[in-house]
DNA sequence: GTGAATTGTTCCATTATTTGGAACTGAATT
DNA sequence: AATTCAGTTCCAAATAATGGAACAATTCAC
C-alpha cells in the first residue's frame, strides 16, 4: 500500500466540523454535534468522555445519546462505549451510488487515470472542507472508504484551492474567516494572506498544484469543474508521490486534467442543462 | 464486472427502513423517516413528492427539510430536488475506517479470499437487515460502496440466515414478525414456516447456504461469528456465480469459512476479552 | 399575455418535546 | 461499611416543533 493511502486521520480532527454550515441550535443541530464528536473521536467514547466534551447536563446528554442509539446513528457496546452507528453506512452507500455528479464524472476519471497512470480524485466543496467523492487508482484494489468520503482542508489541497479560486470575493473572505490554518508540512500556507495570493494566480491559470502542502512527499495538480454561471461544482486531481511526480511533469499534466474537467462539464450540461 | 456486482438497488426498496428499531416519534425520529425516504428514492425528490410520501403538513415538512439541508444531511439543488447529503459520506467513512470488528476481521477475510479465489463478505445484523461491512474480491479493483454499506434482507442471504440461527427463539419470532417476505427468485423462502425449518438445520450444522435465494445465479456459503455468550456478532461468506460454485464445492468450503469465522472470534477475544 | 392552477415559502398562536437540576441506583474503591 | 464515581430516571420549566392559513412564485392553459 502506498504511503499516502494509509494517511492517518488524526490530521482530520483539526477540521472540527467544517462541513455543515454550523447550525448548532435546534434539536437536530445539537444531536449532530454529538454525532460529530463521536465520529471524529479516535476511539469509542464512554458516557463521561462525551459529557466533558459536549458540555451538556448529564440528563440531557443521556437522553440525546439514547435517541441517537435508537435511530442506529450511534452504537452502544456492552462496555458502555459509544461508536458511530452502521446505519450511517447504509445512508452513505445510497447517497454515493446515486450521486449524479459522480456518475457523470466516473468515465472521465477512469480515462485520466489510464492516461497518466496515477491516482485520480473527484472532490466537492462542502462548508470549508473538500469531500472526496470518487477515486480511481491503478494497481492495487482500492480499500474502499480509504479516501472516498473523507473530508480534507480546502487551503492545502489541489481541489480545495481550485474551489477557492472560483468563489466570489466575499464568499471567499467569509469562508477563510472560519478556517483554522493548521500547518501540516513546511509548505502549508500558514495564513490567508499567502493563500490569497496563490488563489488569484490559480484563478488566472485555471489549475492548481498541491506542492506537498497537506502531506510531505505527496503532490497533485487539480482543475475545477463549474456550471454555466461559473459556480464551482467540484474538482478533478491527479495525485502521487513527489519522487515520481516532478513539478515539471505535474505542470505538463495540467493539460489533461483540465481536459478531463472540461469533459465532465460537458457531461453535466448534457445531463442537467435541459432541466434548468 | 461480474453480474452480481452491479446488482441494482431497486430490490432494496422492499426493505423499507429495516435497519433502525423503528422509533418514528420524537423530533429525531421524524427527521430520520424523511432522510430514509430521500435516500431510498430512486431519484432526487421534489418537495411535493416528499409531501405525498411523508404525509406531513406542508409547513412542518418544509421546515424539517430545511433543517436537514442546513445540517448537510440532505442537499437541495437549483431545481428544487432533494438528494442525500454528502456529509453522510464523511460520517460513514469514519465509522467504517475505525470499526473494530471490521479491523479485526480484515486479514482473515483476505486469507479466505486467497484460499478460495472467490468474493468474501463480512456482514452484521442491524434490525431486520444484513449490512455488509467489508468485501474482499480477487481480480478487478472494487468499485467502493458497490456492496459495502448496502443493506440486504436477512431471510435470503447466507449471512442473514446464520444470524437468525443464533437468535434466541423469541427474538427470532419478533424479528420475523416484522419481515416482509419478498420473493426475489424461485428459491426465496416465501414464508416464515419454511425458513424456520432451515434455520434449525443451520443452527445444528453451523453454516448456511444461499441457494440463489436473493439473486438468480448467485450462491454463497456463510458461517457465524459470535461472542462468549453465543450472541451473534456477524457472519463471513464466500459468494460467487452458480456456474463456478457447485453445491458440492460450496459444501466443501463450509470448512474454510467456519475456520475463518473461528479465527475472527479468536481475534475478538484477544482484543476485547480483557476489557469485558 | 392573462388568468388559473400548482408549487413552494412564511407566519404565529397552540401544542408537544426537550431541558436540566436533583434525586436515585449500582458498581468499583478504600 | 463508607465513599466515590458512572450511569440512569424524574418532572416542572423552558424551548422548540406543529400545522392551519395566508402569502409568494412558478407553471400551465387558453
Amino acid at each position: 500500500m502506498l504511503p499516502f493511502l494509509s494517511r492517518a486521520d488524526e490530521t482530520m480532527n483539526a477540521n472540527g466540523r467544517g462541513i455543515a454550515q454550523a447550525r448548532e441550535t435546534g434539536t437536530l443541530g445539537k444531536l449532530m454535534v454529538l454525532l460529530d464528536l463521536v465520529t471524529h473521536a479516535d476511539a469509542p467514547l464512554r458516557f463521561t468522555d462525551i459529557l466533558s466534551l459536549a458540555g451538556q447536563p448529564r440528563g440531557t446528554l443521556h437522553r440525546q445519546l439514547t435517541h441517537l442509539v435508537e435511530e442506529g446513528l450511534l452504537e452502544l457496546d456492552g462496555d458502555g462505549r459509544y461508536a458511530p452507528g452502521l446505519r450511517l453506512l447504509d445512508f452513505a452507500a445510497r447517497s454515493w451510488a446515486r450521486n449524479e455528479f459522480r456518475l457523470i464524472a466516473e468515465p472521465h476519471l477512469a480515462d485520466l487515470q489510464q492516461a497518466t497512470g496515477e491516482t485520480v480524485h473527484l472532490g466537492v466543496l462542502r462548508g470549508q472542507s473538500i469531500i472526496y467523492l470518487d477515486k480511481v487508482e491503478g494497481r492495487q484494489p482500492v480499500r474502499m472508504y480509504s479516501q472516498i468520503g473523507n473530508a480534507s482542508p480546502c487551503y492545502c489541497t489541489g481541489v480545495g484551492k481550485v474551489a477557492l479560486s472560483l468563489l466570489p470575493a466575499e464568499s471567499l473572505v467569509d469562508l477563510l474567516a472560519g478556517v483554522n490554518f493548521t500547518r501540516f508540512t513546511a509548505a502549508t500556507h500558514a495564513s490567508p494572506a499567502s493563500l490569497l495570493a496563490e488563489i488569484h494566480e490559480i484563478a488566472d491559470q485555471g489549475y492548481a498544484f498541491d506542492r506537498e502542502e497537506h502531506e510531505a512527499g505527496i503532490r497533485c495538480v487539480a482543475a475545477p469543474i463549474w456550471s454555466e454561471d461559473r459556480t464551482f461544482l467540484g474538482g478533478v486531481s491527479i495525485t502521487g508521490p513527489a519522487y515520481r511526480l516532478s513539478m515539471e511533469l505535474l505542470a505538463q499534466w495540467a493539460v489533461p486534467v483540465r481536459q478531463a474537467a472540461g469533459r465532465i462539464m460537458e457531461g453535466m450540461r448534457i445531463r442537467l442543462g435541459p432541466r434548468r
Side-chain angles (χ1 to χ4, degrees), chain A:
Chain A
M1 198 186 262
L2 295 176
F4 64 99
L5 288 179
S6 57
R7 172 187 302 173
D9 292 53
E10 295 97 53
T11 57
M12 292 299 131
N13 285 329
N15 275 17
R17 50 105 206 76
I19 296 171
Q21 284 84 314
R23 201 196 77 100
E24 303 192 1
T25 170
T27 308
L28 179 61
K30 291 169 204 159
L31 291 174
M32 294 307 286
V33 170
L34 288 183
L35 196 49
D36 247 359
L37 264 177
V38 176
T39 48
H40 281 80
D42 294 320
L45 299 171
R46 317 284 310 278
F47 179 84
T48 320
D49 302 330
I50 305 176
L51 187 60
S52 62
L53 289 168
Q56 297 257 43
R58 303 160 74 78
T60 303
L61 181 68
H62 188 262
R63 185 180 28 72
Q64 289 172 332
L65 290 173
T66 304
H67 285 173
L68 288 168
V69 169
E70 282 172 342
E71 289 299 336
L73 300 177
L74 288 183
E75 308 213 341
L76 174 59
D77 70 16
D79 301 347
R81 302 182 312 163
Y82 290 88
L86 295 185
R87 192 184 188 186
L88 293 165
L89 284 191
D90 181 52
F91 281 136
R94 292 178 194 287
S95 58
W96 190 80
R98 305 221 173 110
N99 186 278
E100 284 191 341
F101 185 45
R102 186 191 68 79
L103 289 167
I104 291 170
E106 196 166 48
H108 306 294
L109 303 180
D111 289 348
L112 188 58
Q113 197 285 320
Q114 283 291 318
T116 62
E118 295 292 343
T119 301
V120 170
H121 280 115
L122 176 72
V124 295
L125 180 69
R126 287 295 180 276
Q128 305 159 5
S129 301
I130 294 298
I131 298 190
Y132 289 108
L133 250 190
D134 211 341
K135 166 176 174 173
V136 182
E137 218 168 340
R139 314 290 157 90
Q140 62 282 339
V142 180
R143 286 313 294 162
M144 47 244 90
Y145 288 87
S146 67
Q147 189 70 259
I148 291 182
N150 268 359
S152 295
C154 59
Y155 59 90
C156 61
T157 54
V159 175
K161 291 191 289 184
V162 293
L164 298 180
S165 77
L166 275 178
L167 250 42
E170 50 188 304
S171 313
L172 180 59
V173 172
D174 289 353
L175 190 151
L176 290 183
V179 172
N180 181 5
F181 283 79
T182 305
R183 205 99 194 267
F184 295 103
T185 74
T188 311
H189 284 287
S191 72
S194 64
L195 177 63
L196 279 172
E198 194 192 350
I199 295 298
H200 288 129
E201 198 184 326
I202 292 167
D204 288 341
Q205 61 194 17
Y207 58 89
F209 297 117
D210 167 358
R211 302 177 176 85
E212 312 187 36
E213 293 160 49
H214 190 200
E215 186 152 10
I218 302 299
R219 290 190 181 134
C220 107
V221 56
I225 297 162
W226 62 78
S227 63
E228 289 90 67
D229 53 355
R230 286 192 68 85
T231 307
F232 177 78
L233 297 176
V236 211
S237 70
I238 307 177
T239 309
Y243 68 81
R244 208 158 57 208
L245 278 66
S246 66
M247 286 308 298
E248 290 71 34
L249 180 57
L250 226 50
Q252 285 173 32
W253 279 353
V255 178
V257 170
R258 294 187 69 187
Q259 282 173 347
R263 286 190 215 102
I264 295 169
M265 284 188 256
E266 181 65 18
M268 293 291 287
R269 231 177 311 136
I270 291 165
R271 179 76 173 269
L272 301 177
R275 305 199 126 254
R276 288 191 178 256

